[in-house]
């Protein structure tokens, strides 16, 4: 398996809300995302798309099945190892930005590198580079409340890139933005994929946003239904 590759094998996720109210959010999902892919995962509310992203991102664990990030089966990792993988291999972009309001843009981006043990010099050079890359070279000292929604999301993208991860995961990254600002963010993400060969996986409910990806995977009632070519992936009944 190459750098930046993700493989999901027979994923099942069941929430035990108390029988007979047990709910299965994912039903034997199989999905491979190659290095450098740009994949959007779409589906209606409650379809299982965010659950799938949470499993890929180490934020949750499957009831059955396995997720591999590159060569690593996530079920074999302890808590500290999972945290290290998230910090070094994965970058996250959230709908709500999730910036620390008391910190400047510079400090929000730098924090991830502090956890990775990077030197002060390394952190400073990388933050300056990233601020310029996302078009915020003059906004490093601004706190989130002093930035527009689009600017906050660009800071969030810079933070996701801080440790130069191969895989970027987005959960509705344009969901809180107007259409014009969302288009700017999508252009930035597309450039990261094209120019830096980042593997990009994005959950969205917006068909127009989904079309920017190279491949769209539709999930319905916890099962993968189709891809961008319209080819059925299978009913995943095992």
């Amino acid at each position: 398996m190459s750098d930046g590759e993700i493989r999901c094998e027979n994923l099942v996720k069941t929430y035990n809300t108390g029988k007979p109210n047990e709910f299965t959010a994912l039903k034997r999902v199989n999905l491979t995302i190659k290095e450098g892919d740009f994949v959007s995962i779409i589906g209606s509310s409650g379809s299982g798309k965010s659950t799938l992203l949470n499993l890929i991102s180490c934020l949750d664990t499957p009831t059955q099945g396995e997720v591999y990030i590159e060569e690593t089966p996530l079920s074999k990792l302890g808590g500290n190892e999972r945290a290290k993988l998230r910090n070094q291999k994965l970058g996250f972009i959230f709908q709500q930005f999730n910036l620390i309001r008391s910190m400047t843009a510079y400090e929000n981006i730098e924090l991830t590198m502090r956890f990775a043990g990077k030197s002060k010099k390394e952190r400073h050079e990388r933050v300056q580079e990233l601020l310029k890359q996302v078009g915020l070279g003059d906004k490093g000292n601004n706190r989130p409340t002093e930035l527009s929604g689009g600017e906050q999301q660009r800071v969030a993208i810079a933070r996701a890139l801080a440790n130069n991860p191969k895989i970027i995961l987005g959960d509705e990254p344009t969901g809180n933005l107007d259409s014009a600002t969302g288009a700017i963010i999508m252009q930035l993400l597309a450039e990261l994929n094209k120019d830096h060969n980042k593997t990009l996986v994005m959950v969205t409910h917006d068909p127009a946003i989904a079309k920017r990806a190279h491949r769209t995977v539709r999930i319905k009632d916890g099962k993968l239904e189709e891809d961008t070519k319209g080819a059925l992936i299978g009913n995943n009944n095992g």
Side-chain angles (χ1 to χ4, degrees):
M1 191 182 295
S2 60
D3 288 349
E5 186 170 321
I6 302 163
R7 189 170 78 246
C8 304
E9 294 185 351
N10 294 314
L11 288 186
V12 175
K13 181 61 183 181
T14 300
Y15 294 98
N16 295 305
T17 56
K19 292 182 178 181
N21 297 318
E22 187 175 84
F23 172 67
T24 300
L26 292 178
K27 305 169 183 177
R28 297 199 176 279
V29 167
N30 293 282
L31 177 66
T32 297
I33 298 171
K34 299 289 189 180
E35 176 186 6
D37 273 356
F38 183 178
V39 178
S40 62
I41 301 173
I42 63 173
S44 60
S45 178
S47 63
K49 61 186 187 297
S50 291
T51 299
L52 178 57
L53 191 71
N54 285 342
L55 297 183
I56 292 171
S57 63
C58 296
L59 297 176
D60 201 355
T61 56
T63 306
Q64 297 177 36
E66 186 63 270
V67 177
Y68 294 85
I69 300 296
E70 299 175 353
E71 298 288 348
T72 305
L74 300 188
S75 68
K76 305 299 183 184
L77 301 181
N80 289 338
E81 293 171 313
R82 291 171 71 88
K84 183 177 179 180
L85 184 142
R86 283 196 300 267
N87 183 262
Q88 296 182 359
K89 299 277 188 180
L90 307 175
F92 302 91
I93 307 168
F94 302 96
Q95 179 178 353
Q96 303 292 342
F97 317 137
N98 286 12
L99 301 177
I100 299 174
R101 294 169 65 88
S102 61
M103 289 185 170
T104 64
Y106 182 104
E107 291 166 338
N108 268 280
I109 299 166
E110 182 193 35
L111 186 62
T112 301
M113 289 182 283
R114 284 180 178 269
F115 290 142
K118 300 291 179 65
S119 70
K120 185 175 181 179
K121 181 176 184 292
E122 284 180 293
R123 298 197 306 267
H124 178 75
E125 290 177 353
R126 182 63 173 158
V127 173
Q128 295 295 349
E129 175 189 350
L130 288 168
L131 284 169
K132 290 177 182 177
Q133 185 176 344
V134 299
L136 295 175
D138 61 342
K139 300 285 187 178
N141 291 325
N142 290 66
R143 287 180 168 76
T145 53
E146 301 169 321
L147 300 171
S148 68
E151 288 171 336
Q152 289 183 65
Q153 194 60 297
R154 281 188 273 169
V155 172
I157 290 171
R159 179 185 58 190
L161 294 171
N163 288 326
N164 200 26
K166 193 67 179 178
I167 299 168
I168 304 294
L169 305 172
D171 188 1
E172 300 278 6
T174 63
N176 274 350
L177 306 174
D178 61 73
S179 58
T181 306
I184 293 170
I185 294 300
M186 286 308 304
Q187 181 61 35
L188 178 56
L189 293 176
E191 289 171 0
L192 289 170
N193 171 253
K194 179 181 177 182
D195 299 339
H196 300 274
N197 200 37
K198 300 292 185 185
T199 302
L200 188 58
V201 184
M202 174 182 65
V203 162
T204 182
H205 70 279
D206 187 336
I209 294 296
K211 287 179 181 178
R212 297 295 303 271
H214 302 153
R215 174 186 176 197
T216 299
V217 173
R218 183 182 300 277
I219 190 165
K220 181 179 181 181
D221 298 328
K223 299 179 181 180
L224 295 189
E225 191 174 55
E226 61 184 2
D227 63 19
T228 46
K229 297 177 182 178
L232 291 179
I233 293 176
N235 61 15
N236 294 299
N237 286 329

